Amino acid sequence: MNVRVLRIELKRSVAPWAGAVVLTPALAFLYLIPGSWWTGTAAWTAQWTSMALWTRSLLFYLWPLAVGLGALQGLRDHRSKMSELLTSTPRPARHRAATLAGATAITLASAFALLVLVGAVQVVANTEYTHLGWLPISLVGALSLVAGAVLGMGAGRALPSVLTPPALAMSAFVFTALMQMSLGRTETATATGIPSTEPNRISLLSPAVQEVRDALVTLSASVHVGQTIWLLAMAATGFALLVAATPRTRLLALTPVLAGAVIALLVLPSDPRRMYVVDKAAAELVCDGPVCVTKTQQARLADLAGPGKKALRLLHGALGGQAPVSVRENTAVLPEGSTPQWSRKTVLFDFDDDIIAGAKGRQKGQQLTWALIAKGMVPGCTPVGWSSFGGDLFAQTVAAGWVLGDLRPLPGTPASLRREVDAATRPVWKELKALPRAEQLSRINAMRAAAFSCKGDAFDALKGGASR
């Protein structure tokens, strides 16, 4: 296929429109619709891996569009009533199929590459951590659009009906939806007693990925390999259907996609912990004395080091030998709905935690110290991926006020709730400060026992109730 033939094909086909239909809605979704892809450490423009995963998640609806547009392209010869004429020419059918598929593949891959480029330009400005581990995620995403379009072309050629493109697009959408919901999820029990779900091996046959929760999470190498096998087999079946001329050859053309599915399922991991894994290089710690952050957040270490060291000194003055000795960004990635795990010797924090992220403005350093003291005293027992308001926040507020001798709202506390927080915490703080030192320490120790074990209510323990 030379350049002149490709230029002609681009002019007379829907290939350029296919690229526009993929790129425009994707950018509109990312920029116009607010969501978790806008904020936090896992925002789509914050880190390279997050950017790659968020753009892959858009394939939930972009891939069905590619399949439908491919089917529309496959109907072109039938609509123009040229099928018999083209079969009578000496040019091999595979050459015509390669030209048809090549033009659409180039535009779809270019559109997805441009989408990634838009994100990459912003990621460069937002992080100092650069790596190439995100590249396979994006390459597989581009391949999925190409494979879906080629499969759609082959199906459109094999089933020449005006109903074929919308039927294929809807079928592809149903497939991605089922992979994200029922068929692609396995229910698991959690310590909270409320069932949760995790992705299973079948879900990895979908080109889309699940929502990004953590900047340290990436896809494993076996996932990339298995998905590549599956998508190449899909493209092979689509191309075979494009050149098939008899019912028998069309049936034989289904062999690659069936064999590819079987091989891919053998390669893809069955354990959810081997699907979405922690990027060890990204999670490597960068430290300034006892204060450490991951490589992805190394630019924020300078702002955190001073407040972190001050928080440790204040905690040691209040707790003595029971105080934590280091501050570290939490690198544990637990299943959604599971109970967090904490250490008494290390203040574990997350930059997306409300009280850490809420430390802003001219008093940012002081607010970070306050927030880290609160996390060192009461780390929080809200299940992973959930949000809550109440006991843990009240206990953190009182505990930080006890260490510093002054009760004030923690950073990140919504202005609309500060009066409620103050009403709940001030009487408890006054009562605690009025007690003898030994009784104060007794209640603080009971609170910390409940807080670190996530058994019982830390705030109740502060009020003198049972910690279990």
Side-chain angles (χ1 to χ4, degrees):
M1 180 172 60
N2 57 41
V3 176
R4 187 175 69 86
V5 173
L6 177 61
R7 189 184 303 118
I8 294 172
E9 186 63 34
L10 288 172
K11 288 181 179 179
R12 63 193 290 264
S13 71
V14 300
W17 292 103
V21 166
V22 165
L23 180 62
T24 305
L27 290 175
F29 183 90
L30 289 170
Y31 280 106
L32 301 180
I33 301 178
S36 53
W37 48 91
W38 277 13
T39 59
T41 58
W44 85 283
T45 57
Q47 298 292 335
W48 290 100
T49 301
S50 299
M51 180 271 295
L53 288 172
W54 276 121
T55 50
R56 273 285 297 274
S57 70
L58 296 179
L59 295 179
F60 178 82
Y61 68 89
L62 293 181
W63 187 72
L65 282 177
V67 174
L69 289 168
L72 184 63
Q73 180 79 318
L75 288 177
R76 186 183 63 184
D77 294 345
H78 176 74
R79 292 198 313 269
S80 59
K81 301 183 178 358
M82 293 178 58
S83 300
E84 293 184 4
L85 175 62
L86 291 173
T87 55
S88 65
T89 61
R91 189 182 182 191
R94 64 179 181 275
H95 288 182
R96 295 194 304 273
T99 303
L100 182 68
T104 303
I106 289 172
T107 55
L108 286 174
S110 299
F112 192 76
L114 187 56
L115 174 65
V116 172
L117 180 62
V118 170
V121 170
Q122 297 171 85
V123 171
V124 169
N126 291 331
T127 183
E128 295 180 358
Y129 178 60
T130 303
H131 63 104
L132 294 178
W134 61 274
L135 197 55
I137 302 173
S138 294
L139 290 176
V140 173
L143 177 60
S144 68
L145 287 175
V146 172
V150 175
L151 181 65
M153 289 179 203
R157 179 69 63 86
L159 302 170
S161 168
V162 293
L163 298 177
T164 300
L168 278 178
M170 183 55 66
S171 298
F173 179 75
V174 170
F175 172 76
T176 57
L178 290 176
M179 292 301 100
Q180 293 286 327
M181 296 184 294
S182 56
L183 291 181
R185 310 288 296 186
T186 301
E187 187 173 294
T188 57
T190 63
T192 60
I194 299 176
S196 181
T197 62
E198 292 181 327
N200 58 35
R201 187 185 330 204
I202 298 176
S203 70
L204 299 176
L205 295 179
S206 170
V209 297
Q210 66 181 14
E211 184 175 319
V212 185
R213 289 195 298 109
D214 197 302
L216 300 178
V217 171
T218 187
L219 291 171
S220 64
S222 57
V223 172
H224 298 320
V225 174
Q227 289 181 335
T228 300
I229 293 172
W230 161 239
L231 293 171
L232 289 175
M234 185 187 299
T237 287
F239 190 81
L241 287 172
L242 272 176
V243 300
T246 65
R248 181 181 179 183
T249 53
R250 286 169 185 155
L251 284 175
L252 289 174
L254 299 177
T255 303
V257 72
L258 297 176
V262 173
I263 297 173
L265 289 174
L266 294 175
V267 173
L268 293 169
S270 58
D271 186 349
R273 292 169 295 184
R274 293 176 53 229
M275 299 175 188
Y276 294 87
V277 298
V278 174
D279 185 340
K280 293 182 180 179
E284 186 177 334
L285 295 178
V286 180
C287 299
D288 182 343
V291 182
C292 301
V293 298
T294 62
K295 272 193 173 181
T296 61
Q297 304 298 331
Q298 58 190 358
R300 304 171 78 165
L301 179 59
D303 291 337
L304 187 72
K309 294 173 184 177
K310 183 178 180 180
L312 290 176
R313 289 196 301 269
L314 291 170
L315 285 169
H316 184 269
L319 299 174
Q322 296 184 25
V325 296
S326 63
V327 174
R328 178 167 62 82
E329 183 181 355
N330 194 1
T331 59
V333 178
L334 302 175
E336 188 169 358
S338 59
T339 302
Q341 299 174 2
W342 305 113
S343 167
R344 286 178 175 268
K345 290 300 181 182
T346 302
V347 179
L348 295 174
F349 72 94
D350 191 318
F351 282 109
D352 288 332
D353 191 293
D354 289 341
I355 64 174
I356 301 294
K360 300 175 181 177
R362 289 181 297 177
Q363 296 183 330
K364 181 178 180 180
Q366 182 181 356
Q367 291 180 354
L368 277 173
T369 299
W370 199 276
L372 289 171
I373 289 173
K375 293 294 290 183
M377 297 292 284
V378 183
C381 290
T382 302
V384 176
W386 296 12
S387 59
S388 66
F389 172 79
D392 282 343
L393 177 61
F394 296 161
Q396 288 173 333
T397 303
V398 174
W402 178 79
V403 172
L404 294 172
D406 182 20
L407 186 71
R408 66 178 68 174
L410 292 174
T413 303
S416 59
L417 298 175
R418 289 190 176 186
R419 182 173 298 178
E420 180 180 348
V421 172
D422 187 74
T425 57
R426 189 164 295 277
V428 178
W429 179 73
K430 288 182 177 179
E431 179 186 350
L432 181 65
K433 295 293 288 184
L435 294 172
R437 180 67 179 177
E439 181 61 24
Q440 290 182 33
L441 285 174
S442 176
R443 290 198 183 186
I444 290 294
N445 289 334
M447 175 204 70
R448 297 188 79 219
F452 282 92
S453 66
C454 289
K455 297 177 181 178
D457 190 300
F459 192 52
D460 282 346
L462 266 182
K463 292 187 288 187
S467 63
R468 292 179 182 274

